[in-house]
């Protein structure tokens, strides 16, 4: 009888660890539910700085029918294009916290430090790429 209690306590501890890990696994899964192709970037623009940082403005549309977009990592690339030949003159990654329910859109204004980007020879063009997105139920 004296050996039953320690075995029961160890068994309960093992179960608790298992279920906690199982729950954590599903929480991680819930944070990765929105593929980048279900997020639309509308009218994104980089506005030159008035102080130290550029402003990134636009609208983010969540095309997911089930999950709320909470966070996305965006790659912003500055291109200098001369006679159709384009060269990258700067690139930044920006983590954006946002709350966009399924099927809805939200406007954003974010500040981005592009101070180390060299000036373009011609007019600068911008590219935006979603690297990853997190959503919740």
């Amino acid at each position: 009888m004296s050996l039953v209690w320690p075995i029961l306590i160890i068994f309960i501890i093992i179960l608790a660890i298992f279920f906690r890990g199982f729950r954590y696994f599903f929480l991680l899964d819930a944070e990765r539910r929105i593929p980048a192709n279900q997020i639309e970037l509308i009218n994104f623009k980089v506005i030159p700085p008035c102080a130290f940082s550029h402003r990134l403005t636009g609208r983010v549309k969540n095309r997911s029918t089930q999950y709320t977009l909470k966070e996305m990592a965006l790659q912003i690339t500055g291109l200098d294009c001369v006679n159709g030949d384009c060269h990258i003159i700067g690139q930044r990654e920006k983590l954006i916290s946002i709350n966009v329910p399924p099927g809805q859109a939200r406007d954003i204004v974010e500040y981005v430090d592009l101070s180390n980007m060299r000036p373009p020879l011609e007019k600068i063009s911008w590219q935006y790429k979603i690297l990853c997105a997190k959503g919740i139920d």
Side-chain angles (χ1 to χ4, degrees), residues 60 62 67-71 96-102 104-108 134 136:
V60 177
N62 180 4
Y67 303 107
T68 298
L69 175 64
K70 285 296 191 178
E71 193 173 71
I96 299 172
S97 295
I98 193 167
N99 186 10
V100 185
Q104 295 186 22
R106 296 289 185 271
D107 291 333
I108 66 160
K134 293 181 182 179
I136 61 169

Side-chain angles (χ1 to χ4, degrees), residues 20-38:
R20 182 176 180 188
F22 195 66
R23 181 176 173 264
Y24 181 69
F25 173 78
F26 279 108
L27 286 175
L28 283 179
D29 183 47
E31 286 189 338
R32 297 189 179 113
R33 286 194 172 145
I34 302 178
N37 64 2
Q38 289 189 352

